[in-house]
Amino acid sequence: MAEQARGKVEVNQDECKGCGLCVESCPPKGLTLSPELNHYGVHPAQYHAEICTGCGICYFVCPEPGAITVYRLAVAKSEVSDAATV
Amino acid sequence: MSEYNVSQCRTPVFFDRFERKDENQHQTHYCPGCGHGVAHKLIAEALGELGLQDRTVMVSPVGCSVFAYYYFDTGNVQAAHGRAPAVATAVKRSNPGSIVISYQGDGDLAAIGTAEIVHAANRGENITVFFVNNSIYGMTGGQMAPTTLIGQTSTTSPWGRRPNNEGFPIKMAEMLSALEAPVYIERVALSDAKHIMQARRAVKKALQLQKEGAGFTMVEILSPCPTILKMEPTVARHWVADTLIKQFPLGVYRDRKPEFEPVLVPQKGVAELLGISGKRLSDEERHARRQHTRAKTIKVSGFGGQGILLLGQLIAEMGMREHMEVSWLPSYGPEMRSGSAHCDVTLSHDRVGTPLVSTPDVLVAMNEPSLRKFAPHVRPGGVILYNSRQLPEDLKFEGLTVACVPASEIADQIGSAKVSNVVMMGALLEATDCLPFTTAQAVLSGLVKNRKLAEMNEKALEAGRNYLDTEVLVGAVAGPDGCGE
Amino acid sequence: MRQLCKGNVAVVKAAIMAGCRSFYGYPITPASEIAEYAALLIPQVGGTFLQAESEVSAINMVYGAAAAGQRVMTASSGPGISLMQEGISYLAGAELPCVIADVMRAGPGLGNIAPEQSDYFCMTKGGGHGCYRNIVLAPSSVQEMASLTMLAFELADKYRNPAVLLADGFVGQMMEPLDLELVEPVVPQKPWAVKGDLETRKNLISSIHLTPDLMEAHIRHLEEKYSECERNECRSETYRTEDAEVLLVGYGIVSRILRSTVDLARQHGVKAGLFRPISLWPFPSKALATAAKSAVKVMVVELSTGQMVEDVKLSINGSMPVEFYGRVGGNVPSAEECQAELFARMEVLV
Ligand SMILES: Cc1ncc(C[n+]2csc(CCOP(=O)(O)OP(=O)(O)O)c2C)c(N)n1
Ligand code: SF4
Ligand code: SF4
């Protein structure tokens, strides 16, 4: 079994405006813009590779209040570098 | 496989759905990639972390962020263009326990609202200002802002901003840091992840300081406006990083508390403060108690410094104490500046109609010009009291009682020119019998605390009364020789 | 017990009696004394006085304090009132109660500091943008500077709207007996205010209504409120109108002068009466029409070139001639001059 990613991202397709700021900001480059259009007519962001570290940067650079939810692996909490608060 | 826990998600400081919005209630109204959205998020996160949501009042400006109240589940007040710091000032002072945020754009804060931000900062209002500097007017479609860069085009600077026409970009963080009162001013940028995290810390620090009651805090946030800049959101962010920051250097401009001792005002009860005492008399009771007084209209005139206005006030005060209806009207308006002064006093048994005394029963003329000006208007049968030993040669008055009382001379003898008006008061009471002397004494002694002056006042009142009593023939038909010694 | 008090000072005392603990202002003659006394007195009862950087800021501070649920006031004159108009429009639009004392001076422009009544239009008709009204009360004595200030606070809260005390330099500068009685002010609950607490967190103070339908609904709501105010709040006073053949109409200081003119005219056998609007908006049209019943002519006197006269004409509605006599620039006619003007217009020879 491949090592489980330390974090996970969910993008709310309904809220995302496809600006791409999260895509650019994600350190391990785990986000991309979807080739599909959402109801709004833009290409929303999507999490495409299981490499999220749970740093939370994409959450903070995203202008939309709830377009991004970031998860962290429960056990690994203390081991995770707290990039978002550095 | 381990479970994932939520580490970052929509903060409850934002409404769940933006119900104050007409449509698309799950999305903000901001353009894709707009810095306002990020700034909102940083503020909301900080409020949540600091536990301030319930106490917060967001004052939103006019600009793209006019609808901040769609999003923040806090108290919300929408303000006129540029005036948010003034509104926030009073919101905070009304409820000092509240956390008040003034959220403003660069047109709002640095152009139309320059006075308001400078003075709120200078007073050290305990509010937090988030100043979103995107170098342009967003809401109105891309006109020049005071922060627009040299050479940057906008719809109102089509040739690029020219220093010779529009001057230079205004640096608010630097300007406000020149003031004494602000406790914390930092400029941050929403240009990339690293700077956004720095902005996050600054936003939180400013609110933390407000929570501690520290004073005025401001975070200037350099922010991308992709729409007006006509750039892709990512490119707009790079422009902030590469170009805007060069003009507006980032950093902490102020981080210290001014030292001073607050001065507190002593407190009083309302009744004491407003002089409310004793019981109210009915109109009938007052009517019954003023039967010994005489109704008169009086004009007191002279030049400024002779105590003209005060003499009038004293007479009005006496009339009031004797339960009369009274009014006192100072010379006011154009006449006031010429060095001459006069006032009108009405002592009446009925409700006073016009407080203007155009045809007085009594004229007190403390100098010659005022005698010449007002004497012709004295009512037939009226009284003139003139501050001199005699009338000017050329003046004659038919059908009037004229008493020449050298009040200034008498006052000098008593020891102060200041009491000449009180000498005249004594003479006036003697000549008209309108009010009792005892009231005059009571009013005067209530007026001055200084014993020496009080004694002089008493002497002056007496002297005026006696002068008229012994030296002037009251009731004698007037004329230059009908008065004086 | 009565106290001899200046009109401007009476305003501050009354405000304190009415529970006002917030004053935001900017100095201008002849209204400065109101700010000066507010600065002296209001902090002594635990309130806030702040001299703002301009009238623009002052009225926006009033907006903030009103939004936060305070009884709040400001005071100004001509040029300052002009600067406040945007804020007053916002206050009306956001339905915030406040009291604005306008001690009128001569204009336009810097004009001079002498009394005039030339802010009638801008205070009763709008002045700022949009379909709104101010409640406007016109005191004519020092006692009324106090009683109408208190009433202004009451009406402002009742209708959630700015209320204006429209005084002139004379009433402001005059001293007369002031009889105050200590009563606990009745300040209504303001559940709509934004106080920075859990209970009011949901509240929003704003005058924006983005879609035409919502905006229209809001304006209709205001209109409704103004109609109710017109039904309930017209105030006026008459003097010897029962048999009056000619009706004099004036407000503020002019009504005092005209009261004397009525007596003078009657001494000369002319049956004159006085109608004095106390509320200038809502204008007491019905009461005026009633007072004019026995009259054949109306004469309006103002310290302006003719502003209130327009409302008098609307009230009289063409049923009799409406004459006008105005003085401006700080000139104030005496009772005798008004009498002469009246007689000239009636072709009465004396
Ligand atoms: C008194 C007044 N003048 C002009 C306007 C029009 N106006 C609305 S927003 C705005 C500019 C806002 O620019 P800024 O403060 O930079 O905010 P942004 O929209 O860029 O966020 C202007 C001029 C107004 N609403 N009120
Ligand atoms: S930053 Fe937010 S709005 Fe932009 S693409 Fe990513 S999820 Fe979508
Ligand atoms: S115009 Fe600019 S500032 Fe306004 S919402 Fe769009 S991107 Fe943001």
Side-chain angles (χ1 to χ4, degrees):
Chain A
M1 194 179 85
E3 205 188 316
Q4 201 179 348
R6 281 181 291 166
K8 183 177 87 165
V9 183
E10 258 173 37
V11 177
N12 180 342
Q13 305 279 310
D14 238 20
E15 205 173 322
C16 172
K17 287 179 182 158
C19 68
L21 297 183
C22 58
V23 174
E24 190 192 54
S25 303
C26 174
K29 301 287 169 230
L31 290 161
T32 180
L33 290 183
S34 159
E36 313 288 323
L37 294 174
N38 68 4
H39 77 107
Y40 200 57
V42 301
H43 297 284
Q46 63 178 19
Y47 180 47
H48 73 116
E50 304 282 299
I51 50 173
C52 176
T53 62
C55 71
I57 281 176
C58 58
Y59 170 80
F60 281 102
V61 302
C62 171
E64 293 299 312
I68 290 184
T69 306
V70 179
Y71 298 84
R72 279 184 193 170
L73 208 53
V75 287
K77 203 152 198 187
S78 58
E79 300 157 27
V80 172
S81 76
D82 193 5
T85 51
V86 179
Chain B
M1 208 138 135
S2 305
E3 290 288 306
Y4 285 102
N5 292 338
V6 173
S7 79
Q8 302 292 350
C9 68
R10 167 199 288 270
T11 154
V13 174
F14 286 129
F15 287 114
D16 224 21
R17 275 184 85 75
F18 309 131
E19 285 176 8
R20 289 169 175 165
K21 236 179 134 217
D22 267 6
E23 46 193 22
N24 281 326
Q25 294 183 345
H26 55 282
Q27 274 182 335
T28 66
H29 73 289
Y30 296 113
C31 306
C34 173
H36 280 302
V38 179
H40 280 24
K41 183 176 278 178
L42 300 183
I43 294 166
E45 283 289 332
L47 290 174
E49 285 166 30
L50 295 169
L52 296 176
Q53 180 175 13
D54 294 341
R55 289 164 59 189
T56 298
V57 179
M58 172 71 69
V59 182
S60 42
V62 172
C64 280
S65 48
V66 65
F67 298 121
Y69 62 80
Y70 283 172
Y71 313 118
F72 286 94
D73 184 1
T74 61
N76 282 283
V77 178
Q78 202 288 313
H81 195 19
R83 316 303 169 207
V87 173
T89 291
V91 169
K92 180 75 182 195
R93 285 176 180 237
S94 298
N95 293 299
S98 55
I99 298 293
V100 180
I101 295 173
S102 175
Y103 186 104
Q104 304 182 258
D106 43 28
D108 197 75
L109 180 140
I112 194 168
T114 341
E116 283 75 9
I117 188 62
V118 168
H119 289 275
N122 192 48
R123 288 189 302 264
E125 297 294 344
N126 190 19
I127 60 172
T128 300
V129 178
F130 294 117
F131 166 35
V132 177
N133 175 355
N134 58 13
S135 86
I136 201 82
Y137 283 14
M139 184 186 220
T140 41
Q143 296 82 9
M144 194 196 75
T147 47
T148 295
L149 304 182
I150 296 299
Q152 187 181 341
T153 54
S154 74
T155 57
T156 50
S157 56
W159 292 278
R161 183 178 188 154
R162 295 171 292 154
N164 54 312
N165 200 49
E166 291 98 9
F168 294 87
I170 195 165
K171 297 180 175 180
M172 292 309 294
E174 288 85 336
M175 265 178 68
L176 296 180
S177 297
L179 302 172
E180 211 57 53
V183 297
Y184 175 62
I185 296 175
E186 179 167 355
R187 184 184 285 127
V188 297
L190 305 178
S191 50
D192 52 68
K194 187 174 137 240
H195 282 111
I196 289 172
M197 290 309 158
Q198 177 54 33
R200 182 186 175 206
R201 282 186 290 273
V203 165
K204 189 170 173 185
K205 177 168 178 178
L207 290 168
Q208 173 67 34
L209 284 167
Q210 182 180 170
K211 185 180 174 188
E212 291 163 10
F216 182 88
T217 50
M218 181 177 92
V219 182
E220 177 173 342
I221 302 169
L222 303 184
S223 174
C225 170
T227 303
I228 303 293
L229 296 176
K230 298 192 179 68
M231 295 173 186
E232 283 301 311
T234 45
V235 180
R237 247 174 32 157
H238 297 158
W239 181 81
V240 172
D242 302 337
T243 309
L244 203 56
I245 290 180
K246 291 220 171 69
Q247 178 64 42
F248 297 104
L250 306 186
V252 177
Y253 284 86
R254 169 63 63 91
D255 193 3
R256 65 151 168 81
K257 272 196 198 179
E259 296 286 324
F260 64 92
E261 269 305 311
V263 179
L264 301 177
V265 175
Q267 300 293 295
K268 270 190 184 162
V270 171
E272 187 195 353
L273 183 70
L274 305 187
I276 303 173
S277 67
K279 87 172 182 54
R280 264 181 140 171
L281 296 183
S282 69
D283 286 350
E284 293 73 38
E285 283 172 295
R286 281 215 307 272
H287 183 77
R289 292 183 192 200
R290 63 179 168 231
Q291 291 311 314
H292 61 295
T293 61
R294 290 194 191 177
K296 291 279 176 240
T297 57
I298 304 166
K299 191 180 276 295
V300 187
S301 58
F303 63 86
Q306 284 183 314
I308 304 294
L309 301 186
L310 181 62
L311 175 54
Q313 277 176 26
L314 292 173
I315 298 168
E317 172 81 33
M318 288 162 55
M320 183 189 71
R321 290 203 194 178
E322 294 303 318
H323 308 288
M324 302 184 83
E325 302 302 337
V326 304
S327 75
W328 170 89
L329 186 70
S331 53
Y332 167 68
E335 301 151 278
M336 210 163 93
R337 298 280 146 135
S338 59
S340 74
H342 68 91
C343 64
D344 295 351
V345 179
T346 303
L347 302 173
S348 172
H349 286 176
D350 303 308
R351 180 168 157 179
V352 180
T354 177
L356 277 89
V357 176
S358 37
T359 53
D361 296 326
V362 182
L363 170 67
V364 177
M366 293 296 282
N367 65 4
E368 191 184 321
S370 56
L371 176 73
R372 290 186 184 276
K373 185 168 173 194
F374 295 115
H377 304 292
V378 177
R379 220 172 259 280
V383 177
I384 295 178
L385 294 163
Y386 178 46
N387 177 20
S388 175
R389 290 190 170 270
Q390 61 203 40
L391 283 179
E393 293 280 316
D394 60 319
L395 286 184
K396 261 198 176 44
F397 299 112
E398 302 280 323
L400 301 178
T401 303
V402 180
C404 292
V405 181
S408 299
E409 238 181 272
I410 298 174
D412 280 342
Q413 285 160 18
I414 291 171
S416 167
K418 273 193 186 156
V419 299
S420 62
N421 56 352
V422 181
V423 175
M424 261 321 182
M425 182 153 107
L428 182 139
L429 296 183
E430 183 65 28
T432 63
D433 225 6
C434 58
L435 289 160
F437 267 94
T438 47
T439 318
Q441 284 157 346
V443 167
L444 281 173
S445 66
L447 186 75
V448 284
K449 300 278 164 284
N450 177 314
R451 248 199 57 217
K452 207 171 145 225
L453 194 62
E455 274 170 21
M456 284 199 284
N457 269 335
E458 228 164 272
K459 275 191 204 156
L461 187 70
E462 224 21 65
R465 175 190 196 174
N466 291 339
Y467 187 84
L468 213 73
D469 205 19
T470 56
E471 319 239 354
V472 183
L473 285 174
V474 174
V477 175
D481 40 14
C483 65
E485 297 165 338
Chain C
M1 216 169 71
R2 298 190 302 169
Q3 47 180 303
L4 196 65
C5 187
K6 236 184 196 190
N8 281 341
V9 182
V11 171
V12 180
K13 293 194 169 190
I16 291 173
M17 300 259 300
C20 167
R21 295 294 180 272
S22 303
F23 188 106
Y24 299 90
Y26 190 84
I28 183 166
T29 313
S32 295
E33 278 161 328
I34 300 183
E36 289 164 0
Y37 273 84
L40 181 68
L41 299 183
I42 288 182
Q44 293 190 61
V45 286
T48 300
F49 168 86
L50 191 58
Q51 177 171 327
E53 54 274 19
S54 69
E55 289 85 353
V56 175
S57 294
I59 196 70
N60 281 285
M61 289 172 181
V62 167
Y63 179 98
Q70 297 283 308
R71 274 200 163 170
V72 56
M73 80 170 293
T74 187
S76 191
S77 186
I81 293 294
S82 292
L83 279 183
M84 287 185 182
Q85 293 298 348
E86 183 202 29
I88 298 174
S89 165
Y90 269 76
L91 281 152
E95 295 191 84
L96 292 177
C98 70
V99 172
I100 300 153
D102 176 4
V103 186
M104 290 182 282
R105 60 187 252 169
L110 197 52
N112 67 31
I113 60 169
E116 248 190 22
Q117 296 181 319
S118 45
D119 296 356
Y120 182 93
F121 279 158
C122 81
M123 282 316 210
T124 64
K125 310 283 176 194
H129 57 287
C131 292
Y132 76 94
R133 295 289 192 172
N134 298 315
I135 297 165
V136 183
L137 304 173
S140 72
S141 67
V142 171
Q143 185 67 34
E144 282 185 350
M145 284 291 259
S147 60
L148 294 186
T149 297
M150 287 192 254
L151 179 63
F153 276 106
E154 195 186 310
L155 295 181
D157 278 343
K158 182 170 169 192
Y159 294 96
R160 286 187 60 184
N161 199 69
V164 173
L165 189 78
L166 195 66
D168 49 73
F170 264 139
V171 186
Q173 296 298 318
M174 212 156 79
M175 283 181 106
E176 285 183 335
L178 171 66
D179 210 351
L180 292 177
E181 199 170 26
L182 200 60
V183 279
E184 267 307 303
V186 189
V187 184
Q189 291 292 316
K190 299 182 180 179
W192 45 263
V194 175
K195 297 180 180 170
D197 57 19
L198 180 60
E199 213 172 302
T200 65
R201 196 180 91 189
K202 61 180 189 310
N203 290 346
L204 164 66
I205 301 295
S206 147
S207 56
I208 311 175
H209 302 274
L210 214 52
T211 65
D213 285 346
L214 288 176
M215 190 69 220
E216 180 164 34
H218 177 61
I219 295 168
R220 293 288 176 219
H221 160 68
L222 295 180
E223 192 186 18
E224 185 60 34
K225 202 170 74 171
Y226 295 139
S227 304
E228 194 194 326
C229 192
E230 279 179 306
R231 284 192 295 275
N232 300 335
E233 311 301 346
C234 287
R235 285 171 169 81
S236 60
E237 188 187 36
T238 56
Y239 180 58
R240 303 179 86 166
T241 50
E242 307 74 36
D243 60 344
E245 285 160 9
V246 58
L247 188 68
L248 294 167
V249 184
Y251 70 94
I253 188 65
V254 171
S255 71
R256 296 278 297 266
I257 298 167
L258 292 180
R259 200 180 164 90
S260 299
T261 304
V262 166
D263 292 340
L264 286 173
R266 284 185 178 253
Q267 281 164 25
H268 287 92
V270 172
K271 283 186 186 159
L274 167 68
F275 181 82
R276 171 200 165 212
I278 295 173
S279 59
L280 299 180
W281 195 90
F283 191 78
S285 291
K286 281 201 189 111
L288 173 56
T290 309
K293 261 210 182 100
S294 61
V296 294
K297 192 174 256 200
V298 171
M299 184 169 100
V300 180
V301 181
E302 290 178 62
L303 304 182
S304 81
T305 49
Q307 300 198 0
M308 181 183 69
V309 65
E310 294 188 1
D311 286 329
V312 173
K313 282 182 178 164
L314 286 172
S315 310
I316 295 297
N317 202 14
S319 64
M320 68 188 80
V322 175
E323 302 280 347
F324 178 76
Y325 173 49
R327 292 298 304 273
V328 285
N331 285 316
V332 181
S334 66
E336 290 80 2
E337 282 165 310
C338 291
Q339 181 208 338
E341 291 292 330
L342 174 67
F343 284 10
R345 283 163 173 75
M346 298 189 72
E347 289 158 27
V348 175
L349 301 174
V350 258

